[in-house]
Amino acid sequence: MSVRKAAVILYRCCWIVFVALVLVTAFTEPLDPFGLVFLPAAVAVVIGLVVSRSGGAAMTDPRPAVEVDPPVTGRWTALNSPADKVPSHGTHVYGQTYAIDIVAEPEDESRPPFRWLWPVVRPNRDFPAFGAPLLAVAGGTVVHASDGQRDHLSRNSGPALAYLLLIEASLRDLAGASGICGNRVVLDLGDGTYAAYAHVQQGSLLVKAGETVRAGQQLARCGNSGNSTEPHVHFQLMDRPDFDTARGIPFTWRGLGIPANGDAFVADEAVSSG
C-alpha cells in the first residue's frame, strides 16, 4: 500500500471517529477534557490539506496533454475547466487536477437556472444533460463500471446547495470515490492513461469491466449520482484507475481543445466517432 493510499484511509477513519465521538458525547458523559472530541477532526483536516496539495507535485513537470475525442455530442457548456485554473475543482484529490464539468445546453431546450429559494429541487428530467450518451474518448479497456447508485434530485437552489456543501458532501467524502463520483466508468487507454466519467445515470451501463471498447462507442448515459448539483458530465484523465492515489493528466479534445468556463461548444458526432 502506498503512503498516499494509507493517508487517504487514515483521513476517512479520523472523520468517522470524530462523528462517533460526537454522537457518543451527545447521549452519554462528555469526554474529559472535552477538546479530545475534536482531535480526530483536526488530524483529518491536516491530512486532507497535505493530500490535496501533494497531487500538485506533477504540475511542476506535467505530462504532455493527451489528445482524445470528446465524451459527448451536441451543444454543451464548460464549467470548472482546467483552461481557467488548475486544479480545476480546487483540489488534486481523486485525480481531479485537470478535470472538467460540462452541462448540456442545446439550442432548442433551456437548462433550468440556479434559484436562490424556489424551487428547492428539480427532477432530473428537467435538465437536458440527463440521459445524454457518454462516449469512449478513445479505444481502450473498461477497468471499472458501476451504475447502482440512484440519481438524486438537483441541488441548484440556495437551500439545496447549502445542504450539499455543509452536510452531504462531507458524508459522501467518507465513502471515497464511490460517494463523490457516484456511478462511474474508467477506461484504460494505454501508456498509463485512464479516462474517468463520473455521475453516470443509474442502470445505464452498456459495458462491463474487462470489455474492450472502440472510440465513439456508447458506454452509458449522463446522470446525477454522487456529489453533483445537477445532471452533468465530469470527465478527467489520470495516471491510474484508483481515484485515491491517481494524479491528473492534462487532456485536449480533438477538434475542440479545452473549452474555458462558460464557453459553449458543439461536439460533432463525426469527431467523436474517431
Side-chain angles (χ1 to χ4, degrees):
M1 181 185 296
S2 69
V3 173
R4 186 177 178 87
K5 182 72 171 182
V8 170
I9 293 175
L10 179 59
Y11 164 82
R12 294 188 190 121
C13 288
C14 285
W15 278 122
I16 292 173
V17 170
F18 169 67
V19 172
L21 287 176
V22 170
L23 293 176
V24 168
T25 55
F27 296 101
T28 61
E29 290 290 328
L31 292 181
D32 185 22
F34 182 71
L36 288 176
V37 172
F38 299 94
L39 180 59
V43 174
V45 169
V46 172
I47 295 174
L49 289 173
V50 172
V51 171
S52 176
R53 293 178 179 275
S54 66
M59 290 175 57
T60 59
D61 186 23
R63 289 175 52 174
V66 178
E67 185 179 58
V68 293
D69 291 342
V72 295
T73 60
R75 187 176 186 273
W76 296 71
T77 297
L79 304 172
N80 295 320
S81 171
D84 290 83
K85 68 171 184 175
V86 177
S88 59
H89 285 58
T91 179
H92 298 286
V93 175
Y94 302 124
Q96 297 182 98
T97 302
Y98 302 98
I100 191 170
D101 291 334
I102 55 175
V103 292
E105 296 200 73
E107 296 282 4
D108 58 348
E109 188 176 355
S110 62
R111 169 175 155 250
F114 178 85
R115 298 295 188 188
W116 283 108
L117 293 176
W118 192 263
V120 176
V121 296
R122 291 179 181 269
N124 290 312
R125 63 176 178 272
D126 288 355
F127 296 84
F130 190 69
L134 300 178
L135 311 177
V137 296
T141 303
V142 180
V143 295
H144 179 90
S146 59
D147 68 349
Q149 297 186 45
R150 69 180 183 88
D151 296 288
H152 57 72
L153 298 173
S154 74
R155 307 286 191 255
N156 70 329
S157 71
L161 183 60
Y163 164 73
L164 174 68
L165 296 176
L166 299 177
I167 300 175
E168 184 178 6
S170 297
L171 294 177
R172 288 188 177 280
D173 195 31
L174 295 179
S178 177
I180 296 296
C181 300
N183 302 321
R184 57 204 186 279
V185 177
V186 180
L187 302 180
D188 181 355
L189 307 183
D191 296 324
T193 302
Y194 295 82
Y197 307 69
H199 315 307
V200 171
Q201 183 181 358
Q202 184 180 36
S204 70
L205 278 175
L206 298 175
V207 297
K208 60 183 181 296
E211 184 175 339
T212 300
V213 299
R214 67 183 186 281
Q217 180 177 335
Q218 184 175 339
L219 307 173
R221 292 187 178 276
C222 173
N224 196 35
S225 58
N227 197 56
S228 170
T229 56
E230 66 177 85
H232 72 282
V233 177
H234 173 107
F235 174 82
Q236 65 187 51
L237 292 186
M238 50 192 187
D239 65 356
R240 64 200 69 187
D242 185 350
F243 285 83
D244 284 342
T245 58
R247 298 181 188 274
I249 296 175
F251 71 90
T252 181
W253 285 333
R254 189 170 289 109
L256 295 172
I258 307 175
N261 287 343
D263 281 358
F265 63 93
V266 176
D268 183 70
E269 188 170 1
V271 172
S272 291
S273 64

